[in-house]
Amino acid sequence: MIAAAERFFAVCPRGLEALLAQELTALGAQACTPQAGGVAFAGTLETGYAANLHSRLASRVLREVCQAPCANEDDLYAAAHAVAWERWFDARQTLRVDVTLAGSQRSNAGFLTLRVKDAIVDRLRARTGARPCIDRARPDVRVFAHLDGRVAYLYLDLSGEALFKRGWRADKAEAPLKENLAAGLLALAGWDPSQPLLDPFCGSGTIALEAAAIAARRAPGLQRRFAFERLRDFDAACWQQLLAQAQEQAQHAAGAAVKIAASDAAPRAIETARRNASLAGFEPWLADGRLQFAVADARTVAPPAAAGLIVTNPPYGVQSQPGDSDLPTLMRQFAAHLKRHFGGWTAWLLSADLDLPKHMRLRETRRIVLFNGPLACRLFRFELRAGSYRRAVAGARLS
Ligand SMILES: C[S@@+](CC[C@H](N)C(=O)[O-])C[C@H]1O[C@@H](n2cnc3c(N)ncnc32)[C@H](O)[C@@H]1O
């Protein structure tokens, strides 16, 4: 039984912090405090495991092992040397250290990384007589140090591979969205499985597959391993219990009624999306039509229902189809199709192009700032009112 209160930090794409705090609270986390790029929270080690298994929005979950005043690199070395790392790993495991600096701090992150690494290695050598090897590519253990003004925070990584890697992706189509950002778009759009969903620029199917996993109440971490499984204090019984509960939850929802349609103009993207769907275990959903992938041009795609949500990230930046029209023209034609055939739908489009509403000749009813990696984007909401196209045409004829 794990009882002690621990401190954690869950990292997420910028713009999703408030939603992540809600998600973690629902998972039993306490004192959730959104900060730029993540959420600090408290809980037991079991809460940390559950956050890794169930969070759709986090990129990584870290366990705080030290918080100390830090005016210079000697303070940082002393803080890192005082941590009982031998509780969690030993010299047989490979190590990687990363240092991040808040805001406009100008210190040399490379040098500070070396100081933290030296402190850990010196401590383990003194205690165990051996020193761990550094492996930046595939480390067994990762330590993060974050310097915020005059405070140093040291964290042990519980996740390993980033959490957006759900363990089912075959190969990448053009510019795939990260799964946790796709989950964030669905959450911001307020999608729930009772609403028909369409992604008409689906690429490798990330948004549709994330929606399917939500409808199937399938924990995003069920198909992968985590760094905490390699730590010396790993509580296997607690983890097996969490896994069993997650599996039971998914079994109960296996028959969920849902309509998720996704399409793309590129046949190879649809092949990849279907392959991803079967790797993720959604073959039966493809067979009975709950999840549909089709080759279609977004400018002619048929609505899969009378009303519902479009959640999509259309191409931007580069021309995506050889011989295709330029992007403003593509988006204008797509918008004309929406106005004509999707009355009653609401469309949410993620784009780095701030002029998207202008190209579409539509006024957005919401505009949310989100980051796709380092790329500042906007999530635009457009309400497509039934009959608006006919009214617009009739108005144009009268004038
Ligand atoms: C930014 S990517 C979408 C990536 C996707 N969200 C994923 O996670 O893989 C844009 C997609 O739009 C598709 N596309 C470009 N022009 C299109 C059109 N006229 N109709 C439908 N799809 C189109 C491209 O093939 C590409 O897969």
Side-chain angles (χ1 to χ4, degrees):
M1 185 66 207
I2 305 163
E6 305 283 347
R7 303 254 348 131
F8 301 92
F9 189 81
V11 183
C12 70
R14 277 156 67 201
L16 295 183
E17 295 90 344
L19 281 174
L20 175 59
Q22 285 172 21
E23 186 189 52
L24 292 168
T25 303
L27 289 171
Q30 289 157 21
C32 292
T33 314
Q35 296 170 14
V39 175
F41 66 98
T44 61
L45 200 49
E46 182 177 349
T47 321
Y49 292 175
N52 273 284
L53 177 61
H54 288 285
S55 173
R56 297 197 170 279
L57 304 175
S59 311
R60 182 171 292 289
V61 178
L62 310 172
R63 177 177 176 179
E64 187 182 298
V65 294
C66 166
Q67 197 181 116
C70 177
N72 54 44
E73 64 263 21
D74 292 333
D75 289 347
L76 183 61
Y77 178 94
H81 195 268
V83 174
W85 302 104
E86 61 278 4
R87 271 179 63 196
W88 299 294
F89 58 97
D90 61 34
R92 285 169 299 186
Q93 283 154 297
T94 56
L95 175 67
R96 169 176 172 159
V97 175
D98 289 274
V99 173
T100 54
L101 304 168
S104 57
Q105 280 184 277
R106 288 176 165 272
S107 321
N108 179 346
F111 178 65
L112 296 176
T113 305
L114 281 180
R115 295 299 288 153
V116 176
K117 185 212 70 173
D118 286 347
I120 300 173
V121 167
D122 291 349
R123 175 166 181 124
L124 286 181
R125 193 171 37 204
R127 305 260 155 169
T128 69
R131 45 166 299 159
C133 293
I134 303 300
D135 182 348
R136 287 196 64 77
R138 297 180 63 81
D140 296 319
V141 178
R142 269 182 93 169
V143 169
F144 286 86
H146 180 66
L147 303 189
D148 188 353
R150 300 180 77 80
V151 181
Y153 299 83
L154 294 172
Y155 299 101
L156 199 52
D157 175 32
L158 296 184
S159 303
E161 280 216 288
L163 293 178
F164 68 82
K165 296 189 181 172
R166 312 293 202 214
W168 51 254
R169 194 178 276 282
D171 54 355
K172 294 180 180 177
E174 183 187 339
L177 270 191
K178 290 189 171 136
E179 284 70 4
N180 58 339
L181 186 55
L185 300 186
L186 290 164
L188 286 166
W191 181 76
D192 72 68
S194 70
Q195 296 162 290
L197 179 74
L198 170 68
D199 178 356
F201 296 97
C202 76
S204 58
T206 318
I207 294 172
L209 286 170
E210 205 52 37
I214 292 168
R217 303 193 65 211
R218 174 127 19 115
L222 265 183
Q223 276 176 265
R224 51 161 284 159
R225 308 301 299 263
F226 296 91
F228 60 73
E229 296 176 68
R230 290 192 293 261
L231 298 177
R232 292 174 86 175
D233 69 342
F234 174 49
D235 186 334
C238 166
W239 177 233
Q240 286 310 322
Q241 202 178 347
L242 282 173
L243 278 179
Q245 283 162 358
Q247 265 145 4
E248 200 180 307
Q249 172 184 296
Q251 270 154 16
H252 279 306
V258 65
K259 183 153 205 63
I260 300 167
S263 50
D264 197 287
R268 272 198 43 208
I270 293 303
E271 262 172 48
T272 304
R274 288 208 182 105
R275 199 163 49 246
N276 283 334
S278 29
L279 287 170
F282 286 110
E283 198 88 54
W285 292 39
L286 291 175
D288 65 22
R290 279 182 282 177
L291 178 60
Q292 294 174 355
F293 288 108
V295 178
D297 192 301
R299 294 165 291 186
T300 53
V301 68
L309 283 189
I310 293 173
V311 179
T312 194
N313 79 306
Y316 48 80
V318 287
Q319 208 176 30
S320 67
Q321 300 286 310
D324 205 352
S325 43
D326 61 85
L327 288 175
T329 308
L330 167 65
M331 294 318 291
R332 181 170 51 72
Q333 293 169 341
F334 172 57
H337 179 64
L338 292 184
K339 289 176 211 169
R340 192 167 213 162
H341 298 284
F342 282 80
W345 284 69
T346 300
W348 293 80
L349 274 68
L350 179 74
S351 178
D353 183 356
L354 298 187
D355 289 332
L356 187 74
K358 201 171 83 192
H359 302 322
M360 294 180 71
R361 298 175 187 172
L362 275 173
R363 185 168 300 147
E364 79 275 20
T365 51
R366 268 193 85 183
R367 171 186 283 240
I368 300 170
V369 178
L370 268 185
F371 281 77
N372 183 4
L375 192 62
C377 293
R378 301 291 181 277
L379 179 63
F380 297 101
R381 180 179 69 187
F382 302 103
E383 319 266 6
L384 303 160
R385 283 191 305 278
S388 60
Y389 176 76
R390 252 171 270 129
R391 276 200 302 277
V393 172
R397 281 209 196 100
L398 289 174
S399 59

Coordinates of all heavy atoms in Angstrom, one line a residue, residues 231-273:
L231 N 12.4 1.4 -12.4 CA 12.9 2.0 -11.2 C 12.9 1.0 -10.0 O 12.0 0.1 -10.0 CB 12.2 3.2 -10.8 CG 12.3 4.4 -11.9 CD1 11.4 5.6 -11.5 CD2 13.7 4.8 -12.1
R232 N 13.8 1.1 -9.1 CA 13.9 0.1 -8.0 C 12.7 0.1 -7.1 O 12.4 -0.9 -6.4 CB 15.2 0.4 -7.2 CG 16.4 0.1 -8.0 CD 17.7 0.5 -7.2 NE 18.1 -0.5 -6.4 CZ 19.2 -0.5 -5.7 NH1 20.0 0.6 -5.7 NH2 19.6 -1.5 -4.9
D233 N 12.0 1.3 -7.0 CA 10.9 1.3 -6.0 C 9.6 0.9 -6.8 O 8.5 1.1 -6.3 CB 10.7 2.6 -5.4 CG 10.3 3.7 -6.4 OD1 10.5 3.5 -7.6 OD2 9.8 4.8 -5.9
F234 N 9.7 0.3 -8.0 CA 8.5 0.0 -8.8 C 7.6 -0.9 -8.0 O 8.0 -2.0 -7.5 CB 8.9 -0.7 -10.1 CG 7.8 -1.2 -10.9 CD1 6.7 -0.4 -11.2 CD2 7.8 -2.5 -11.5 CE1 5.6 -0.9 -12.0 CE2 6.8 -3.0 -12.2 CZ 5.7 -2.2 -12.5
D235 N 6.3 -0.5 -7.9 CA 5.3 -1.4 -7.1 C 4.5 -2.1 -8.2 O 3.5 -1.7 -8.7 CB 4.4 -0.4 -6.3 CG 3.5 -1.2 -5.4 OD1 3.2 -2.3 -5.7 OD2 3.1 -0.6 -4.4
A236 N 5.0 -3.4 -8.5 CA 4.4 -4.2 -9.5 C 2.9 -4.5 -9.2 O 2.1 -4.5 -10.1 CB 5.2 -5.4 -9.8
A237 N 2.6 -4.8 -7.9 CA 1.3 -5.2 -7.6 C 0.3 -4.0 -7.9 O -0.8 -4.2 -8.4 CB 1.2 -5.6 -6.1
C238 N 0.7 -2.8 -7.4 CA -0.1 -1.7 -7.7 C -0.4 -1.4 -9.1 O -1.5 -1.2 -9.6 CB 0.6 -0.5 -7.0 SG -0.1 1.1 -7.5
W239 N 0.7 -1.6 -10.0 CA 0.6 -1.4 -11.4 C -0.3 -2.4 -12.0 O -1.1 -2.1 -12.9 CB 2.0 -1.4 -12.0 CG 2.1 -1.2 -13.5 CD1 2.8 -2.1 -14.3 CD2 1.6 -0.2 -14.3 NE1 2.7 -1.6 -15.6 CE2 1.9 -0.5 -15.6 CE3 0.8 0.9 -14.0 CZ2 1.5 0.3 -16.7 CZ3 0.4 1.7 -15.1 CH2 0.7 1.4 -16.4
Q240 N -0.2 -3.7 -11.7 CA -1.0 -4.7 -12.2 C -2.5 -4.4 -11.9 O -3.3 -4.7 -12.8 CB -0.6 -6.1 -11.7 CG 0.7 -6.6 -12.2 CD 0.8 -6.6 -13.8 OE1 -0.2 -6.8 -14.5 NE2 1.9 -6.2 -14.3
Q241 N -2.7 -3.9 -10.8 CA -4.1 -3.6 -10.4 C -4.7 -2.5 -11.3 O -5.8 -2.5 -11.8 CB -4.2 -3.2 -8.9 CG -5.5 -3.4 -8.3 CD -5.5 -3.0 -6.8 OE1 -4.4 -2.8 -6.2 NE2 -6.7 -2.9 -6.3
L242 N -3.8 -1.4 -11.5 CA -4.3 -0.3 -12.4 C -4.5 -0.8 -13.8 O -5.5 -0.4 -14.4 CB -3.2 0.8 -12.4 CG -3.1 1.7 -11.2 CD1 -1.9 2.6 -11.3 CD2 -4.4 2.5 -11.1
L243 N -3.6 -1.7 -14.3 CA -3.8 -2.2 -15.6 C -5.1 -3.1 -15.7 O -5.8 -2.9 -16.7 CB -2.6 -3.1 -16.0 CG -1.3 -2.5 -16.5 CD1 -0.3 -3.5 -16.8 CD2 -1.6 -1.6 -17.7
A244 N -5.3 -3.9 -14.7 CA -6.5 -4.8 -14.8 C -7.8 -3.9 -14.8 O -8.7 -4.2 -15.5 CB -6.5 -5.7 -13.6
Q245 N -7.8 -2.8 -14.0 CA -9.0 -1.9 -13.9 C -9.2 -1.3 -15.3 O -10.3 -1.2 -15.8 CB -8.8 -0.8 -12.9 CG -9.0 -1.3 -11.5 CD -8.4 -0.4 -10.4 OE1 -7.8 0.6 -10.8 NE2 -8.6 -0.7 -9.2
A246 N -8.0 -0.8 -15.9 CA -8.1 -0.2 -17.2 C -8.6 -1.2 -18.3 O -9.4 -0.8 -19.2 CB -6.8 0.4 -17.6
Q247 N -8.2 -2.4 -18.2 CA -8.7 -3.4 -19.2 C -10.2 -3.7 -19.0 O -10.9 -3.8 -20.0 CB -7.9 -4.7 -19.0 CG -6.7 -4.7 -20.0 CD -5.5 -5.4 -19.5 OE1 -5.5 -6.0 -18.4 NE2 -4.4 -5.4 -20.2
E248 N -10.6 -3.7 -17.8 CA -12.0 -4.0 -17.5 C -12.9 -2.8 -18.0 O -13.9 -3.0 -18.7 CB -12.2 -4.1 -16.0 CG -13.5 -4.8 -15.6 CD -13.6 -4.9 -14.1 OE1 -12.6 -5.4 -13.5 OE2 -14.6 -4.5 -13.6
Q249 N -12.4 -1.6 -17.8 CA -13.1 -0.4 -18.3 C -13.3 -0.5 -19.8 O -14.3 -0.2 -20.3 CB -12.3 0.8 -17.9 CG -12.7 2.1 -18.4 CD -11.8 3.2 -18.0 OE1 -11.6 3.5 -16.8 NE2 -11.1 3.9 -18.9
A250 N -12.2 -0.9 -20.5 CA -12.2 -0.9 -22.0 C -13.2 -2.0 -22.4 O -13.9 -1.9 -23.4 CB -10.8 -1.2 -22.5
Q251 N -13.2 -3.2 -21.7 CA -14.1 -4.3 -22.1 C -15.6 -3.8 -22.0 O -16.4 -4.1 -22.9 CB -13.9 -5.5 -21.2 CG -12.8 -6.4 -21.8 CD -12.1 -7.2 -20.8 OE1 -12.6 -7.4 -19.6 NE2 -11.0 -7.8 -21.1
H252 N -15.9 -3.1 -20.9 CA -17.3 -2.6 -20.8 C -17.7 -1.7 -21.9 O -18.9 -1.7 -22.3 CB -17.4 -1.8 -19.4 CG -17.5 -2.7 -18.3 ND1 -18.5 -3.7 -18.2 CD2 -16.8 -2.8 -17.1 CE1 -18.4 -4.3 -17.0 NE2 -17.4 -3.8 -16.4
A253 N -16.8 -1.0 -22.5 CA -17.1 0.0 -23.5 C -17.0 -0.5 -24.9 O -17.1 0.2 -25.9 CB -16.3 1.3 -23.3
A254 N -16.6 -1.8 -25.1 CA -16.3 -2.4 -26.4 C -17.4 -2.2 -27.4 O -17.2 -2.0 -28.6 CB -15.9 -3.8 -26.3
G255 N -18.7 -2.2 -26.9 CA -19.8 -2.1 -27.8 C -20.3 -0.6 -28.0 O -21.4 -0.4 -28.5
A256 N -19.5 0.4 -27.6 CA -20.0 1.8 -27.7 C -20.5 2.1 -29.1 O -19.9 1.8 -30.1 CB -18.8 2.7 -27.3
A257 N -21.6 2.9 -29.1 CA -22.2 3.3 -30.3 C -21.5 4.7 -30.7 O -21.5 5.6 -29.8 CB -23.7 3.5 -30.2
V258 N -21.0 4.8 -31.9 CA -20.3 6.0 -32.2 C -20.1 6.1 -33.7 O -20.2 5.1 -34.4 CB -18.9 6.0 -31.5 CG1 -18.0 4.9 -32.0 CG2 -18.2 7.4 -31.6
K259 N -20.0 7.3 -34.3 CA -19.8 7.5 -35.7 C -18.6 8.4 -35.9 O -18.7 9.6 -35.7 CB -21.0 8.0 -36.4 CG -20.9 8.1 -37.9 CD -22.3 8.0 -38.6 CE -22.2 7.6 -40.0 NZ -21.7 6.2 -40.2
I260 N -17.5 7.8 -36.4 CA -16.3 8.6 -36.6 C -15.9 8.4 -38.1 O -15.6 7.3 -38.5 CB -15.2 8.1 -35.7 CG1 -15.6 8.3 -34.2 CG2 -13.9 8.9 -36.0 CD1 -14.7 7.6 -33.2
A261 N -15.9 9.5 -38.9 CA -15.5 9.4 -40.3 C -14.3 10.2 -40.5 O -14.1 11.3 -39.9 CB -16.7 9.9 -41.2
A262 N -13.4 9.7 -41.4 CA -12.2 10.5 -41.6 C -11.8 10.2 -43.1 O -12.0 9.1 -43.6 CB -11.0 10.0 -40.7
S263 N -11.3 11.2 -43.8 CA -10.9 11.1 -45.2 C -9.7 11.9 -45.5 O -9.4 12.9 -44.7 CB -12.1 11.4 -46.1 OG -12.7 12.7 -45.7
D264 N -9.1 11.6 -46.6 CA -7.9 12.4 -47.1 C -7.9 12.1 -48.6 O -8.3 11.1 -49.1 CB -6.7 11.8 -46.4 CG -5.5 12.8 -46.5 OD1 -4.9 12.9 -47.6 OD2 -5.1 13.4 -45.5
A265 N -7.3 13.1 -49.3 CA -7.2 13.0 -50.7 C -6.1 12.0 -51.1 O -6.1 11.5 -52.3 CB -6.9 14.4 -51.3
A266 N -5.1 11.8 -50.2 CA -4.0 10.9 -50.6 C -4.3 9.4 -50.2 O -4.4 9.1 -49.0 CB -2.8 11.4 -49.8
P267 N -4.4 8.5 -51.2 CA -4.6 7.1 -50.9 C -3.6 6.5 -49.9 O -4.0 5.7 -49.1 CB -4.5 6.5 -52.3 CG -4.8 7.5 -53.3 CD -4.3 8.8 -52.7
R268 N -2.3 7.0 -50.0 CA -1.3 6.4 -49.1 C -1.6 6.8 -47.6 O -1.4 6.0 -46.7 CB 0.1 6.9 -49.5 CG 0.7 5.9 -50.5 CD 2.2 6.0 -50.6 NE 2.9 6.2 -49.3 CZ 4.0 6.8 -49.2 NH1 4.6 7.3 -50.2 NH2 4.6 6.8 -48.0
A269 N -2.1 8.0 -47.4 CA -2.5 8.4 -46.1 C -3.6 7.5 -45.5 O -3.5 7.1 -44.4 CB -2.9 9.9 -46.1
I270 N -4.6 7.2 -46.4 CA -5.7 6.4 -45.9 C -5.2 4.9 -45.6 O -5.7 4.3 -44.7 CB -6.9 6.4 -46.9 CG1 -7.4 7.8 -47.0 CG2 -7.9 5.4 -46.6 CD1 -7.9 8.3 -45.6
E271 N -4.3 4.4 -46.5 CA -3.7 3.1 -46.2 C -3.1 3.1 -44.8 O -3.3 2.2 -44.0 CB -2.6 2.8 -47.2 CG -3.0 1.9 -48.4 CD -1.9 1.9 -49.4 OE1 -0.7 1.7 -49.0 OE2 -2.2 2.2 -50.6
T272 N -2.3 4.1 -44.6 CA -1.6 4.2 -43.3 C -2.6 4.3 -42.1 O -2.5 3.7 -41.1 CB -0.7 5.5 -43.2 OG1 0.2 5.4 -44.3 CG2 0.1 5.6 -41.9
A273 N -3.6 5.1 -42.3 CA -4.6 5.3 -41.3 C -5.3 4.0 -40.9 O -5.5 3.6 -39.8 CB -5.7 6.4 -41.7

